[in-house]
Structure formats: C-alpha cells, structure tokens
C-alpha cells in the first residue's frame, strides 16, 4: 500500500458511497440535536430519510454569508460565537479557534489530523520521518495548523516558517535541509528567487504541496525547472480538506471524509456530470457538522477514476467563484433569481443573464436554451417573469440546447467599466 495513504483510497466506489450515505442520518441527527443553527435549518427533517444523494439534495444549502450573519447576530446578542453551527465549546474539546475574513470564527477540535490534510500531503510525495518547511500562516487563519497537524499525523517533523522574513526562510532551509515545502506557490517562488539572489543553494527542497492560490501549469513548470515537484490541494477554513492532486495530474481527487455535490449557482440543484457548478460539501466532522455547505467555488466532476488507482470522485479544481451577484440599474440581481425564472418554465433547459452596456445605462438579456417547438410564444412569458422576479425589464434570447458555455456562469457582466 506504499502508493496510497490508506486502503480507503482504492476501495470499491459503490462500497465508499454506501459507507458515506450510511453515515448521513446520524450526522444530520447530531447536527439537529447539538447545533442550534441546524436545528432551525433542518426543522421537520427526518434524519432516517436522508440515505441517498437525491434526499440530501432536497436539504437547504448553507452559504458562507449565512454563517457570517448568524455568527455576527449571536455575538451581538451575547450568545454563541459560532452562530449555532458548532457542537463543541471553549475548553478541552476545542484546543484552538481561528478567524477568517468577515470575521468568521472556526473551531478546531481534538484528534489527530483534525483537518484531514495528511492524505493530501502524502499524495504530494511526503513520507514519514521527513522535515517539512510550513510557510502557511499560523496567525488568525487555520492554514498553518491544518498543514502541521496533517504532517504530524503522517509522521513528519514541521518547521513553522509562517509568512514573511524571506531571508530567514532561506537560511532555515539551507541549514535544516527540509525535504520540501508547504504553503502558497507564490511565496515559494519568492524564497527560491531570494536564494538565487543570495547565492544560496537549496538542493534538499525537492517537493511541495500548495494551497490558497491558483497553480497553473506555467508555474508548475517553473518549479520543475528548479528541481521542485509541486502538487496542489483544495481546502477551506470551514471544511478542511476537500480534494487533492495526485501524480496523474488529472483533476483533484475528493477526500474520503466529505460528500461533494456540484450544484447550479444560486440553487441547491445538482448539475449533470461534467457541467460546471458550485461546490457544495457535507462534512462528517461531528464537531462542526456542516451539512450542504456552499463553498462559493466553481468546479465540475471529471468522468472515470484517477489513473493512480484512487477510486473516489474527481473534480476539475478551482474554476472561479459562484457568487455572480451584480447590480443592474441600482438593483441587485442574484443567481437565485435567474434560477427562479427558469424554474417557472419546464421548456427552459439552461439560462444565463447577460448584462451589457455601461454602468447606469445597462441592458439585460436572458439567454435560454430550449428545445420547444414554439419559442416565439415563450419569449413574452419569460420577459414578464424577468420583470416579476427582478423588478427590471430584460430581453429574452432563445438558443438551441448546448449553446451556452459550460463555465458555471449564471450571470455574465459584460459591461464596459472604462
């Protein structure tokens, strides 16, 4: 099993799916009983009925702005700083608490590899007994702790480099000779460029695991030219690890401890395999049991399984942001409103709102894919629905099925801002 972190990675997909879905009822019941926010959000839901992806898809999506608003309201009222989403409180069960921009506060519970990062670190080539130079921040945000606890679970030693102090980072790498680096790709590039400027060789740094930023092929090649093999992971402060890259370089393999759905932006409706949509994650973490948490990130499911032998679902990686809310003639228009218009007409297969013109002189056109035989009769009805839902006038453009780009956009802002 040296090529896998554990046997879970190469198990039969049907067995994995059965195990994940079997854990859902207990997790939902736990969230209802111990997390006040989910007691309200899932009121009336029978946990025992949630045993399939179809049943899960009927539950509401919780988005980051709701987390922020709930936490802010609870703090103002002198209540739970986590807004009723955590099932643990300050004390032995919660060694650390972190803050992300907002601020949104995230608890860190006890247990080895709480954020489940060891699997991604292993896939990036790190092994037990190695030293890792960790340049993720250790302050406020959980990134430094996420990586350190994962490295410890893997049996590695960690140098907590954190951010900044580039010359000192170079010195520590030259003297300690770590096997590799964990942090953002941009900071490792800065370190390597500073080392070259100082005439300091860093021959031990052969591998890296990156997060927090895009890692395009051009940057991957830049590191490879300098003897560093880099891989990326996809994680958030709320959920921990979601997916990770492997030696196959074909998308990201989903972590074993989460259930991932791709939904149409502005809705909770799963999209067909291959279509770009918002990443929605259900975590099996009992301390912070986020059920259908909308990350706000766009991605898509890749067909088949990873050539490395890992059998879990694969996603294409980060493809942009799902929150495409925009302001048109002084009014906010949300992806959920576009979805509401489309839902009123079974003939509409997909819809995309395009905003053109210049600020304060906007025009809206709702592009709709339909295979109906009488599209002309559809246009005035859809135009009326646009005005009803958004309180704005908009044109309607009828397109053949498959005409809209597969990029996850529900609202396209094509205005000139010059």
């Amino acid at each position: 099993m040296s090529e896998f972190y554990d046997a879970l990675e190469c198990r039969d997909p049907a067995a994995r799916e059965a195990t994940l879905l079997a854990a859902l009822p207990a997790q939902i019941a736990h969230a209802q009983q111990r997390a006040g926010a989910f007691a309200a959000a899932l009121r009336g839901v029978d946990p025992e009925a949630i045993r399939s992806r179809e049943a899960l898809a009927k539950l509401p999506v919780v988005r980051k702005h709701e987390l922020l608003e709930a936490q802010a309201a609870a703090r103002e009222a002198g209540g739970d700083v986590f807004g009723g989403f955590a099932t643990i409180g300050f004390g032995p069960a919660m060694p650390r608490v972190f803050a992300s921009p907002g601020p949104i506060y995230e608890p860190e519970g006890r247990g080895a590899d709480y954020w489940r990062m060891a699997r991604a670190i292993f896939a990036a080539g790190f092994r037990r007994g190695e030293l890792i130079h960790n340049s993720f921040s250790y302050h406020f945000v959980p990134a430094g702790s996420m990586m350190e606890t994962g490295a410890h679970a893997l049996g590695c030693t960690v140098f907590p480099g954190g951010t900044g102090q580039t010359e000192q980072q170079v010195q520590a790498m030259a003297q300690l000779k770590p096997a590799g680096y964990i942090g953002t790709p941009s900071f490792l590039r800065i370190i390597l460029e500073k080392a070259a400027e100082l005439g300091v060789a860093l021959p031990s740094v052969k591998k890296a695991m990156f997060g927090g930023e895009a890692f395009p092929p051009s940057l991957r090649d830049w590191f490879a030219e300098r003897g560093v093999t880099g891989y990326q992971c996809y994680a958030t402060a709320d959920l921990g690890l979601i997916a990770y890259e492997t030696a196959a370089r074909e998308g990201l393999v989903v972590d074993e401890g989460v259930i991932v759905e791709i939904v149409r932006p502005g809705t909770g409706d799963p999209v067909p395999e291959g279509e770009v949509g918002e990443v929605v994650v259900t975590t099996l973490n009992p301390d912070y049991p986020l059920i259908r948490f909308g990350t706000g990130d766009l991605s898509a499911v890749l067909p088949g399984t990873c050539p490395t032998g890992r059998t879990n679902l694969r996603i294409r990686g980060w493809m942009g942001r799902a929150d495409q809310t925009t302001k048109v003639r002084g009014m906010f228009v949300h992806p959920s409103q576009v979805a509401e218009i489309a839902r009123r007409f079974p003939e509409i297969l997909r819809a995309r709102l395009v905003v053109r013109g210049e600020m304060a002189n906007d025009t809206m056109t709702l592009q709709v894919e339909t295979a109906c035989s009488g599209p002309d009769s559809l246009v005035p009805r859809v135009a009326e629905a646009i005005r009803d839902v958004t309180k704005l006038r908009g044109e309607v453009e009828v397109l053949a099925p498959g005409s809209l780009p597969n990029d996850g956009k529900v609202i396209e802002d094509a205005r000139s801002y010059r």
Side-chain angles (χ1 to χ4, degrees):
M1 291 299 298
S2 60
E3 68 270 37
F4 301 116
Y5 178 68
D6 59 24
L8 297 178
E9 294 182 352
C10 55
R11 57 184 160 164
D12 178 69
R16 175 186 294 107
E17 185 78 348
T19 300
L20 290 173
L21 294 177
L24 265 179
Q27 180 74 335
I28 291 170
H30 175 69
Q32 288 174 318
Q33 294 161 11
R34 301 289 301 278
F38 281 110
L42 303 178
R43 183 176 289 112
V45 172
D46 176 9
E48 289 301 318
I50 313 301
R51 292 184 174 274
S52 67
R53 285 184 178 264
E54 292 74 19
L56 179 64
K58 294 178 181 178
L59 302 182
V61 173
V62 175
R63 292 194 162 84
K64 192 177 284 283
H65 73 87
E66 296 175 63
L67 201 61
L68 174 62
E69 292 162 4
Q71 288 195 2
R75 290 196 302 273
E76 187 173 339
D80 174 22
V81 297
F82 301 108
F85 285 93
T87 64
I88 55 175
F90 299 149
M94 189 187 300
R96 300 181 185 89
V97 60
F98 295 100
S100 294
I104 295 176
Y105 294 101
E106 296 102 4
E108 180 182 86
R110 300 200 69 84
D113 198 15
Y114 176 80
W115 306 93
R116 308 180 316 283
M117 292 304 309
R119 190 178 304 283
I121 297 171
F122 182 93
F126 292 94
R127 295 295 181 267
R128 182 180 183 87
E130 293 182 329
L131 172 65
I132 298 174
H133 189 106
N134 182 15
S135 281
F136 272 118
S137 175
Y138 278 78
H139 304 97
F140 277 81
V141 297
S145 182
M146 290 169 71
M147 302 303 172
E148 180 169 291
T149 52
H152 288 168
L154 188 56
C156 296
T157 298
V158 174
F159 176 77
T163 57
Q165 301 175 298
T166 309
E167 289 193 19
Q168 289 93 324
Q169 303 270 3
V170 171
Q171 182 184 53
M173 284 184 171
Q175 295 177 347
L176 291 173
K177 296 179 173 55
Y181 162 99
I182 291 180
T184 62
S186 62
F187 192 46
L188 180 58
R189 181 167 183 164
I190 290 170
I191 291 173
L192 295 181
E193 289 175 337
K194 175 59 70 173
E197 177 188 320
L198 296 173
V200 177
L202 300 175
S204 72
V205 182
K206 298 292 187 185
K207 48 200 171 189
M209 191 185 75
F210 299 125
E213 295 175 349
F215 184 48
S218 59
L219 190 53
R220 184 181 71 199
D221 294 343
W222 188 92
F223 285 116
E225 290 168 3
R226 288 153 182 81
V228 180
T229 302
Y231 295 91
Q232 60 185 315
C233 70
Y234 172 34
T236 74
D238 319 279
L239 300 158
L241 181 66
I242 298 173
Y244 58 96
E245 191 174 24
T246 73
R249 304 283 191 189
E250 294 185 8
L252 306 181
V253 177
V254 171
D255 178 53
E256 299 292 330
V258 294
I259 298 172
V260 168
E261 304 169 87
I262 307 293
V263 309
R264 187 155 287 115
T267 77
D269 304 331
V271 299
E273 182 180 289
E275 185 173 324
V276 177
E278 181 184 7
V279 179
V280 169
V281 180
T282 296
T283 174
L284 299 179
N285 178 359
D287 299 336
Y288 204 37
L290 297 176
I291 310 295
R292 297 204 87 203
F293 184 75
T295 64
D297 296 324
L298 292 175
S299 194
V301 171
L302 287 174
T305 56
C306 183
T308 63
R310 293 172 175 87
T311 58
N312 206 350
L313 188 76
R314 295 181 302 162
I315 59 175
R316 288 175 59 183
W318 188 82
M319 300 177 67
R321 293 293 294 169
D323 186 4
Q324 300 149 28
T325 298
T326 190
K327 185 176 279 189
V328 181
R329 298 197 290 277
M331 299 279 286
F332 281 108
V333 181
H334 305 273
S336 58
Q337 292 175 302
V338 178
E340 168 60 25
I341 295 166
R343 268 196 294 266
R344 296 187 180 190
F345 303 92
E347 308 98 307
I348 294 179
L349 305 176
R350 293 174 65 202
R352 180 188 187 109
L353 186 71
V354 181
V355 185
R356 297 188 177 93
E358 298 178 355
M359 294 296 286
N361 188 25
D362 311 311
T363 62
M364 293 195 323
T365 301
L366 187 67
Q367 299 177 328
V368 297
E369 290 185 358
T370 180
C372 73
S373 56
D376 291 344
S377 65
L378 181 66
V379 169
R381 292 184 291 128
V382 174
E384 183 179 351
I386 293 172
R387 183 165 178 78
D388 181 42
V389 173
T390 69
K391 312 307 178 191
L392 295 164
R393 294 186 184 276
E395 301 297 318
V396 180
E397 181 182 357
V398 176
L399 303 173
S403 300
L404 292 175
N406 181 24
D407 57 8
K409 283 189 179 180
V410 174
I411 299 177
E412 178 186 355
D413 191 341
R415 290 173 291 195
S416 171
Y417 289 89
R418 291 180 296 174

